[in-house]
């Protein structure tokens, strides 16, 4: 059915083509640069990991003096297909995988819907459910928190989540529906079950927890009091599934076992004691008992009761998504009971919102099919699909038009492309070194086989914390920046609603996350206004960073005492918008300025480049 449904192939090709044709029309740049700028949200942060996995090199230091690092813990199944194709196809792998990701999304939901609806309506609902988040983003509805969370997390092409991780989750839904309709006990079903669970846990652990809870509830409601009898009677199927799961997840488990712990803590892992567990549980219960949320749960439960009472044709579809919603409510509580660590826990909350809204969308589809399906002939359905594609085309082209009209964005992108072209024209990156604070440029350099980086984003290397700090000290000293510049670089900054200094956060990530649940080393050594704000912050606010006073003092002291070596960089690129680099005083005897734009300045080492 997958290969025979040419409509789905056409739709996937159409969606990808509109995006990339628009990109090429409005921005003329080489492919690796374009791939970085066309990433969704912060998905480009995972591009270096794709590169590492394609080379089976997960301990890159980009430092000639550091060679014995442990591994970066990576979401293996979330980037494995990019890594494999990148190995053989280079940057075209990103475009090709976007096509296949969209095609698989359409295929999965079409095969879910075809169990309950006609072929034509299934195609319409499949296209519609893909476009709903894209349409919501363009409306005022996206200003509502729940809608915004759904539109950003249900499905888009951000790597690895939700581009691939959500496909595993949707595959799980399709498999459950298939098992519910057809013969449950077959080795094929349980092999796929183990495979999907293994891929999920290697990508997004909170999806995996929800899937486990769902399976327990699913088997319990299906077999009721004979649940344990069925389990022991058919133990071979369950053992098969467990074996496939362990085999699939083994690479991920090995990487986690041999990973660098300091890297993990930089990414937001926190230790949980009973006190912290109670804080999170109290937060969850408060949200669960909120009248608005109770109204949502009650409405979903009432709809499910009506569907089953009236024996709707799609009741198994409704029940599956309702049970997923309930499972997502239960999973964070069970996780807290058994775990000793957690990581950006708000993802659990976001997933509850996604499964909840998804349930109501599915219910709406069932209602539409039940009421007016006899009036939806093939011509009307095709007109609806055409209008959806037309609307998508308009939104996508308009987006690129607006980006092209945005002077700052356009200048940034054009200058970025210019400096990359100059670097490629004058240096063999496999033998060169780069000093830059610009994350996108560092990503581009890694993808293009840079040999050395004077320092790298804390997400790109498993260096220990003190190594990254020394890299920052060294960079500031080489640029002959003043102590005031360094102090500005590490200072705590408050935006409208949170504390975050994006300059230093690139390198320390979540190390100094601060909220009512956790602070660095559980300290309270902050300024009075900082401490007050922290105590009032949600325990889910992982993306807030405040460096304690004693840490600021330590960093300043170590910066003063640090003595850099005589090593000079081959290429230096500075962003003029970064206030802390404005006073750079590079020695003219060593470097020549080869580019000076509105945003970027670039210098080449005179030993490697003739000015």
């Amino acid at each position: 059915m997958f290969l025979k449904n040419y409509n789905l192939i056409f739709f996937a090709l159409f969606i990808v083509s509109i995006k990339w044709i628009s990109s090429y029309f409005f921005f003329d740049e080489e492919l690796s640069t374009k791939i970085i700028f066309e990433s969704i949200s912060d998905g480009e942060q995972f591009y270096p990991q794709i590169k590492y996995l394609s080379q089976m090199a997960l301990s890159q230091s980009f430092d000639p003096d550091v060679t014995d690092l442990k591994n970066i813990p990576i979401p293996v199944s979330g980037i494995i297909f990019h890594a494999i194709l990148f190995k053989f196809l280079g940057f075209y792998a990103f475009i090709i995988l976007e096509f296949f990701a969209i095609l698989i999304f359409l295929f999965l939901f079409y095969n879910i819907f075809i169990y309950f609806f006609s072929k034509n309506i299934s195609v319409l609902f499949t296209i519609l459910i893909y476009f709903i988040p894209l349409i919501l983003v363009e409306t005022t509805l996206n200003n509502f928190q729940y809608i915004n969370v759904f539109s950003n997390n249900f499905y888009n092409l951000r790597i690895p989540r939700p581009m691939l991780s959500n496909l595993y989750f949707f595959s799980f839904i399709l498999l459950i529906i298939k098992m519910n309709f057809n013969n449950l006990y077959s080795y094929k079903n349980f092999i796929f079950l183990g495979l999907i669970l293994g891929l999920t846990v290697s990508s997004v652990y909170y999806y995996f927890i929800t899937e486990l809870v769902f399976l327990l509830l699913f088997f319990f409601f299906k077999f009721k009091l004979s649940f344990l009898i069925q389990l022991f009677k058919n133990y071979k199927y369950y053992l098969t599934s467990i074996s496939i799961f362990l085999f699939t997840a083994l690479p991920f488990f090995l990487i986690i076992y041999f990973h660098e712990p300091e890297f993990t803590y930089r990414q937001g892992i926190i230790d949980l004691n009973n006190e912290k567990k109670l804080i999170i549980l109290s937060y969850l219960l408060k949200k669960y008992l909120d009248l608005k949320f109770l109204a949502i749960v009650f409405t979903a439960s009432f709809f499910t009761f009506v569907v089953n009472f009236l024996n709707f044709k799609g009741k198994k579809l409704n029940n599956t998504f309702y049970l997923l919603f309930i499972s997502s409510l239960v999973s964070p509580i069970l996780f807290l009971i058994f775990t000793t660590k957690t990581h950006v826990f708000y993802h659990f909350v976001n997933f509850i919102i996604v499964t909840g809204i998804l349930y109501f969308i599915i219910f709406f589809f069932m209602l539409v099919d039940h009421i007016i399906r006899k009036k939806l002939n093939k011509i009307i359905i095709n007109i609806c699909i055409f209008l959806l594609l037309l609307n998508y085309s308009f939104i996508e082209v308009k987006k690129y038009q607006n980006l092209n009209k945005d002077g700052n964005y356009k200048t940034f992108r054009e200058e970025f492309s210019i400096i990359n072209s100059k670097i490629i024209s004058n240096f063999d990156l496999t033998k060169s070194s780069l000093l830059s604070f610009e994350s996108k440029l560092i990503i581009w350099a890694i993808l293009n086989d840079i040999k050395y980086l004077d320092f790298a984003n804390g997400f790109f290397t498993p260096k220990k914390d003190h190594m990254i700090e020394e890299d920052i000290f060294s960079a500031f000293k080489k640029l002959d920046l003043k102590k005031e510049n360094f102090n500005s670089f590490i200072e705590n900054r408050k935006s409208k609603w949170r504390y975050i200094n994006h300059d230093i956060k690139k390198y320390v990530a979540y190390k100094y996350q601060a909220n009512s649940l956790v602070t660095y080393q559980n300290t309270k050594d902050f300024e009075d206004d900082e401490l007050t704000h922290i105590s009032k912050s949600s325990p889910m606010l992982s993306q807030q960073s405040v460096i304690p006073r004693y840490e600021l003092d330590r960093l300043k002291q170590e910066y003063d005492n640090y003595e850099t070596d005589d090593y000079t960089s081959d290429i230096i690129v500075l962003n003029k918008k970064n206030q802390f680099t404005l006073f750079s005083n590079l020695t003219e005897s060593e470097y020549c300025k080869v580019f000076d734009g509105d945003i970027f300045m670039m210098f080449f080492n005179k030993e490697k480049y003739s000015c």
Side-chain angles (χ1 to χ4, degrees), residues 149-400:
V149 168
F150 176 80
S151 59
N152 288 324
N153 291 274
F154 169 62
Y155 194 73
N156 58 54
L157 297 175
R158 179 190 178 273
I159 299 171
R161 179 187 57 83
M163 181 178 178
L164 290 181
S165 60
N166 285 34
L167 293 183
Y168 303 141
F169 177 66
F170 301 146
S171 299
F172 175 81
I173 297 173
L174 174 58
L175 180 61
I176 291 299
I177 289 174
K178 179 182 177 183
M179 293 170 71
N180 204 14
F181 262 96
N182 303 324
N183 179 29
L184 172 63
Y185 287 111
S186 73
Y187 282 109
K188 180 180 178 181
N189 285 343
F190 279 81
I191 287 173
F192 275 114
L193 180 61
L195 178 64
I196 292 170
L197 291 174
L199 292 172
T200 302
V201 77
S202 303
S203 177
V204 182
Y205 75 93
Y206 43 91
Y207 287 11
F208 172 72
I209 303 299
T210 299
E211 289 173 0
L212 286 184
V213 173
F214 178 90
L215 284 173
L216 289 174
L217 294 176
F218 172 73
F219 287 122
F220 177 78
F221 285 118
K222 190 171 185 66
F223 300 118
K224 298 180 176 61
L225 295 179
S226 63
F227 170 68
L228 293 178
I229 296 175
Q230 289 290 332
L231 179 64
F232 287 112
K233 182 180 179 181
N234 299 281
Y235 73 93
K236 292 183 179 179
Y237 295 102
Y238 295 97
L239 287 178
T240 299
S241 191
I242 293 171
S243 299
I244 296 297
F245 164 76
L246 292 174
F247 178 79
T248 305
L250 182 61
F252 174 71
F253 292 151
L254 289 174
I255 289 173
I256 292 298
Y257 182 78
F258 292 107
H259 83 283
E260 170 53 57
E262 289 191 19
F263 178 94
T264 304
Y265 282 97
R266 283 202 302 271
Q267 304 319 308
I269 292 289
I270 61 174
D271 297 313
L272 289 178
N273 54 28
N274 290 335
E275 180 183 355
K276 289 181 179 179
K277 287 184 178 183
L278 285 174
I279 292 174
I280 299 178
L281 282 172
S282 297
Y283 173 86
L284 287 175
L285 290 175
K286 183 179 178 181
K287 292 295 182 182
Y288 287 175
L289 296 176
D290 180 80
L291 290 178
K292 293 180 181 178
F293 187 76
L294 285 174
I296 292 173
V297 176
F298 173 80
T299 303
S301 301
F302 176 73
F303 286 168
T304 300
F305 170 78
V306 171
V307 166
N308 284 273
F309 181 78
L310 298 179
N311 199 26
F312 271 38
K313 178 184 176 183
K315 69 176 183 179
K316 287 186 178 181
L317 178 67
N318 178 90
N319 293 346
T320 299
F321 282 91
Y322 176 73
L323 199 57
L324 281 170
F325 176 45
I326 298 301
S327 299
S328 70
L329 290 173
V330 175
S331 61
I333 296 176
L334 288 182
F335 176 75
L336 280 174
I337 292 173
F338 293 104
T339 189
T340 58
K341 300 178 186 294
T342 187
H343 172 251
V344 285
F345 198 85
Y346 70 86
H347 285 308
F348 271 112
V349 179
N350 287 351
F351 194 49
I352 292 171
I353 296 171
V354 170
T355 57
I357 294 180
L358 183 58
Y359 168 81
F360 286 105
I361 291 174
I362 296 300
F363 178 80
F364 173 76
F365 285 173
M366 290 174 52
L367 203 60
V368 169
D369 178 70
H370 184 75
I371 295 174
I372 61 174
R373 61 180 170 181
K374 294 181 180 179
K375 299 178 182 179
L376 289 178
N377 58 41
K378 189 173 183 179
I379 295 176
I380 295 177
I381 289 175
N382 287 336
I383 291 174
C384 292
I385 293 173
F386 173 77
L387 291 175
L388 285 171
L389 294 176
L390 186 65
N391 183 60
Y392 170 77
S393 302
F394 175 79
I395 291 173
E396 198 71 3
V397 173
K398 188 68 175 178
K399 180 184 76 174
Y400 282 98

Side-chain angles (χ1 to χ4, degrees), residues 93-158:
F94 292 90
I95 301 176
I96 293 170
L97 278 170
E98 284 193 359
F99 164 74
F100 280 106
I102 296 171
L103 182 60
I104 292 171
F105 174 94
L106 299 174
F107 164 75
L108 291 172
F109 272 97
Y110 175 80
N111 279 276
I112 288 172
F113 293 145
I114 201 66
Y115 274 99
F116 310 95
F117 311 126
S118 68
K119 289 183 180 180
N120 291 329
I121 291 181
S122 294
V123 172
L124 173 61
F125 287 167
T126 299
I127 301 298
L128 184 58
I129 203 168
Y130 180 83
F131 282 137
I132 282 176
L134 301 175
I135 295 172
L136 287 174
V137 169
E138 300 298 320
T139 68
T140 56
L141 289 174
N142 205 51
N143 295 328
F144 292 97
Q145 183 182 6
Y146 286 178
I147 300 298
N148 181 270
V149 168
F150 176 80
S151 59
N152 288 324
N153 291 274
F154 169 62
Y155 194 73
N156 58 54
L157 297 175
R158 179 190 178 273

